[in-house]
Amino acid sequence: MLASKLFAAKLRAGTALAVVLCCVATTSLATPHIQHWQSASGAKVLFVENHDIPMLDVAVSVAAGSSFDTAEKSGVAGMTQHLLDLGTAQSSEDDISRGMADIGAQLGGSFDQDRASVSLRTLSSERDQALRLMAGVLQQPVFPEAILAREKARVVAALKEAETQPASIADKAFQQAVFGAHPYALPVSGEVASVEKITVQDLQDFYRTHYSASRAVVAIMGDVTQAQAEAIAQQLTAALPVSAAPPALPAVAMQIAASEQRIPHPASQSHILIGAPGMSRTDPDYFPLYVGNYILGGGGFVSRLMNEVREKRGLAYSVYSYFMPLKQPGALQIGLQTKKEQADEALKLVRYTLAEFIAKGPTEKELLGAKQNIIGGFPLRIDSNRKILDYLSVIGFYDLPLTYLDDFTGKIERVTVAQIHEAFARHIHPAQMATVIVGAPEVKETSGVKNK
Amino acid sequence: MRIYRFFVALLVAGTLQVAQAEVFEHTLSNGLKVIVKEDHRAPVVVQQIWYKAGSMDEITGKTGIAHVLEHLMFKGTKQVPAGEFSRRIAAAGGRENAFTSYDYTAYFQQLHKSKLPLAMRLESDRMHGLNLTDAEFSKEIKVVMEERRMRTDDDPHSLLQEKMMSVIFQEHPYQHPVIGWMSDLETLTAADAKAWYRQWYAPNNATLVIAGDVDASVVFKLAQRYYGNIPRQVLPIRRNFTEPAQLGIKHLAVKAPAELPQLVMSYHAPVLSKPAQDWQPYALEIMVGVLDGSESARLNKHLVREQQIASAVGVGYDSASRGPGLVTLEATPSTGKTIGEVEAALRQEIASLVKDGVSAEELQRVKAQVRAGEVYKLDSVFYQAMQIGQMESIGLGHKTLPLMLEKLQAVTAEQVQQVALTFLQDDNLTVAVLDPQPLDSNKKKITEGNRHARQ
């Protein structure tokens, strides 16, 4: 948003992605009491009742992310989600946005490879009107022809813009190098050519196939009673389409060939991404990998990558690593930006740091530091309605145990150096990773793939 | 020891009874103002220290030093070696960072409430004990240069904004970027950073904001213990910069590798100086809400949805800052539309605002959004502390916050029309255009347009 741009504050570390959370050995922390049931519609519901603030947060997530696209129709999933609130059987796009604004309610949403979601924040006193509009958005979208044409043009313009910017060029090439023919490789908003071909019929078909109540998770947090929450969940999902489950996704190929793409760009910095398929949300190694990644490149200013690349040598402002845990294994991604002339030096250093970590594992001291941070910082993960709502959606969507938050610090505490060492060795093979360098130094060999 | 206690009344519609947010303040004898916002929803606390020294306090040739010093504040003191600050906060389960703006520099930690004394010990230590070495400086200045490349030099929209600010402001230091010109970064030294630190980092130039699950009286005792012995300092005299009347429209174009052009129009506008008497800044805030407060607000509804002249629009204005204000409109033309057509459409919206004003319905909608926003704000302890720190640092004081809400609710349609007429005038306007260049053939053009960023 413009106002924030003009504000021009400079954060010392800008990579939200790299910030992994944290905490200490506090004994018994109150975790929110999660109520859970299946709505008559078939939707799964997770609810936390809290009346501290007179407001309500609701999110409905559906297994309808970009991994359900095909290469030919890449972008249909994203466009379906995007058009949900741009016209329903009862309301025009303007009725919806004005109706929300009139009561100060905020309708939002999110979209990734796995999930499409619609979320609402409203004063609890105004919830009837807000929920009525939201119910229409979820259950009676009409995907108007003229609005689809307009939004296609906007998405295509944004995609073309992205194709000129080094960070997005790198990200797209990286996903393709890591996931190959798997749908996780598809750009979440599609390609220019495929978006241009999207029809209203495509959106209706996609909606009918994927937006069924049995694939929906309703998260409710805030100032309503359980009886009210039950009615809300039903109101938002009872009229979703009924459909058979779509075919399961193919499995992610965990072994990839080493590759290195050097893509020219006039930017002053090289944007470097290194990675490989990593872990799923339900991987048995989830906690060892999570804690290990804190040590490698997730732990803000105290990670190995940050220490080697930035603190010791001043080679980059931002350097990080993270696992993107999805239904199937998402990527382990390591990233940094550095002045072109020193890109090869930085790349070498990052690869060395990663290889060292995988070969030898963390030290006991590093593990202790990681546990102190992750366990000690646990209260910060659940200190707002917004954060709790997000946990409810994730727990529901990925079928995590309802005791996930209660168990969290114990699972971290039990991770050992050996487990991290073994888990990384099992999942990440430094000789089989994809590297993308956008704005690569020109003296090196030209674009292409080379085996290492 | 005097403790002022008062309530921030939430201007929530009707009889909504939100737990009244309690704010306490106390000034230590060395001049450090301590403000506590109690919020007992979760066992966490945030500490923020705000120094009234931002990039607008820099002098010619030394731009960026405020932000460079912010980085160096993590590089060790006589008590705490380089890197240890972050390590100790991390080991306490904390998250931390810092930020620099035109108006101030601030540092923060978020932790379990039991760790507040540790955070205070570390933060107070670096208020007066920083150990700045040439070795740390020479590494960190490289990091800042990389930050500049990433945020500005290689980002067409930031580049446009940086160049635009230097055209908008002729005298006021807002003409210089917070991160500093590259040529200045190349010549700054550890001695410059030391001088900056000595000048501005003093208890009587700072505000300490603590928010969360704490007891104010305990916090005041802790503040006295950790910060109370840091000596007060004589502060430099601040020059009171003004910006002369513009006297005519200004234009600029910036070429950069991109696909889409962009139009930005900025008008000089007043900011709050006497919050109880002022009315124009409040009317401008409401005007911005009418133009861009939601997807159904005028600009998105007319330009993006109906006329389809623009693929994206935005409006910005901040009524609270140390320096002069701006109302900024920006738009990206739809494919096939020109910058000229987009500018004409924006001007048409301004003309209609000036001629016909705003409807009662629009006014009510924006006010409803403001009221709801005040409730939503309660979900973020960090943001509440931010607002307090900002208001203190720009000199208005946090007690202005409830007053602002009251005044926003009192804005009339006539006042909105009046400020549009008064300030959205060509003589007050700078128009900037991003002129997109192809990736292949433009290396030369970029270098020419970006001399300050030569490495």
Side-chain angles (χ1 to χ4, degrees), chain A residues 22 102 104 161 269 311 385, chain B residues 75 93 146 260 365 376 379:
Chain A
C22 64
D102 277 339
E161 174 70 19
Q269 285 185 317
E311 302 298 303
N385 291 14
Chain B
K75 296 301 179 183
E146 292 296 344
L260 304 175
R365 187 174 303 132
Y376 304 155
D379 198 34

Side-chain angles (χ1 to χ4, degrees), chain A residues 2 7 10 12 22 24 102 104 121 154 161 268-269 311-312 317 337 339 342 373 385-386 442, chain B residues 74-75 90 92-93 97 100 104 139 146 150-151 154 161 259-260 311 328 330 365 376 379 443:
Chain A
L2 191 70
F7 178 69
K10 303 289 178 229
R12 178 167 164 252
C22 64
V24 189
D102 277 339
R121 169 165 277 194
R154 292 179 70 200
E161 174 70 19
S268 63
Q269 285 185 317
E311 302 298 303
K312 280 193 192 162
Y317 172 70
Q337 305 83 23
K339 183 165 71 163
Q342 63 202 21
N373 183 259
N385 291 14
R386 176 90 74 195
E442 280 129 44
Chain B
F74 295 82
K75 296 301 179 183
N97 217 319
T100 307
Y104 45 72
K139 272 189 293 183
E146 292 296 344
M150 187 181 86
R151 288 189 191 277
D154 289 346
Q161 184 177 330
E259 169 70 20
L260 304 175
S311 65
T328 297
E330 66 175 22
R365 187 174 303 132
Y376 304 155
D379 198 34
K443 292 204 107 159

Side-chain angles (χ1 to χ4, degrees), chain A residues 11-77:
Chain A
L11 272 176
R12 178 167 164 252
T15 48
L17 288 175
V19 179
V20 173
L21 325 158
C22 64
C23 278
V24 189
T26 34
T27 46
S28 63
L29 282 162
T31 52
H33 173 56
I34 301 174
Q35 301 176 69
H36 170 254
W37 64 91
Q38 189 172 44
S39 196
S41 67
K44 189 194 278 188
V45 188
L46 291 92
F47 168 56
V48 169
E49 181 170 350
N50 186 302
H51 304 284
D52 289 349
I53 306 175
M55 69 182 200
L56 173 69
D57 285 283
V58 182
V60 177
S61 306
V62 188
S66 61
S67 59
F68 298 97
D69 275 336
T70 59
E72 303 73 53
K73 291 193 186 283
S74 179
V76 167

Side-chain angles (χ1 to χ4, degrees), chain B residues 66-80:
Chain B
H67 172 248
V68 169
L69 196 270
E70 177 224 300
H71 278 237
L72 293 168
M73 286 286 279
F74 295 82
K75 296 301 179 183
T77 66
K78 289 152 203 143
Q79 311 289 328
V80 180

Side-chain angles (χ1 to χ4, degrees), chain B residues 101-163:
Chain B
S101 83
Y102 292 120
D103 294 352
Y104 45 72
T105 308
Y107 302 80
F108 67 84
Q109 303 86 35
Q110 297 167 274
L111 324 89
H112 186 266
K113 61 179 179 177
S114 64
K115 302 298 180 181
L116 180 60
L118 168 76
M120 281 194 169
R121 192 170 71 233
L122 288 167
E123 195 63 85
S124 59
D125 173 49
R126 67 177 174 181
M127 179 184 276
H128 65 126
L130 193 64
N131 183 29
L132 265 174
T133 66
D134 289 345
E136 290 295 344
F137 179 89
S138 60
K139 272 189 293 183
E140 200 60 25
I141 195 76
K142 288 195 224 163
V143 172
V144 174
M145 288 180 195
E146 292 296 344
E147 184 179 358
R148 188 189 150 86
R149 290 182 188 105
M150 187 181 86
R151 288 189 191 277
T152 307
D153 297 335
D154 289 346
D155 180 329
H157 297 273
S158 303
L159 201 58
L160 178 71
Q161 184 177 330
E162 178 178 280
K163 292 181 184 301

Side-chain angles (χ1 to χ4, degrees), chain A residues 1-3 5-14 21-24 26 29 52-55 86 93-94 97-98 101-106 121-123 125 146 150 153-154 157-158 160-161 163-166 169 265-269 294 301-302 310-318 337-342 369 372-373 376-377 379-387 442, chain B residues 16 18 41-44 67 70-71 74-75 86-87 89-102 104 108 110-112 115 139-140 142-143 146-147 149-151 153-154 156-157 161 165 178-179 257-260 262 292 294-296 300-301 304-305 308 311-312 314-318 328-330 335 361 365 368-369 372 375-376 378-379 390 439 442-443 455:
Chain A
M1 194 179 159
L2 191 70
K5 275 204 249 164
L6 288 178
F7 178 69
K10 303 289 178 229
L11 272 176
R12 178 167 164 252
L21 325 158
C22 64
C23 278
V24 189
T26 34
L29 282 162
D52 289 349
I53 306 175
M55 69 182 200
L86 301 182
E93 57 174 351
D94 199 47
S97 46
R98 204 180 52 238
D102 277 339
I103 53 174
Q106 299 168 347
R121 169 165 277 194
T122 179
L123 297 174
S125 59
R150 183 190 76 202
R154 292 179 70 200
K160 287 182 176 168
E161 174 70 19
E163 284 172 7
T164 67
Q165 300 308 308
I169 296 170
H265 193 283
S268 63
Q269 285 185 317
Y294 173 92
F301 292 110
V302 296
R310 172 168 162 165
E311 302 298 303
K312 280 193 192 162
R313 298 177 180 84
L315 286 173
Y317 172 70
S318 156
Q337 305 83 23
T338 189
K339 183 165 71 163
K340 227 171 230 184
E341 295 81 344
Q342 63 202 21
Q372 285 173 329
N373 183 259
L380 297 170
R381 291 169 182 257
I382 50 168
D383 66 358
S384 72
N385 291 14
R386 176 90 74 195
K387 292 178 191 174
E442 280 129 44
Chain B
L16 212 60
V18 178
R41 292 195 308 139
V44 298
H67 172 248
E70 177 224 300
H71 278 237
F74 295 82
K75 296 301 179 183
S86 295
R87 205 194 58 73
I89 292 295
R95 307 175 191 178
E96 49 134 12
N97 217 319
F99 47 89
T100 307
S101 83
Y102 292 120
Y104 45 72
F108 67 84
Q110 297 167 274
L111 324 89
H112 186 266
K115 302 298 180 181
K139 272 189 293 183
E140 200 60 25
K142 288 195 224 163
V143 172
E146 292 296 344
E147 184 179 358
R149 290 182 188 105
M150 187 181 86
R151 288 189 191 277
D153 297 335
D154 289 346
H157 297 273
Q161 184 177 330
M165 289 295 277
V178 173
I179 199 159
E259 169 70 20
L260 304 175
Q262 191 192 19
D292 190 37
S294 71
E295 297 285 288
S296 54
N300 193 65
K301 178 172 156 62
V304 176
R305 288 182 165 180
Q308 300 180 24
S311 65
V315 185
Y317 167 70
D318 189 349
T328 297
L329 292 76
E330 66 175 22
T335 307
E361 197 196 358
R365 187 174 303 132
Q369 290 178 286
V375 176
Y376 304 155
L378 299 175
D379 198 34
Q390 281 176 345
L439 296 193
N442 62 352
K443 292 204 107 159
Q455 292 143 21

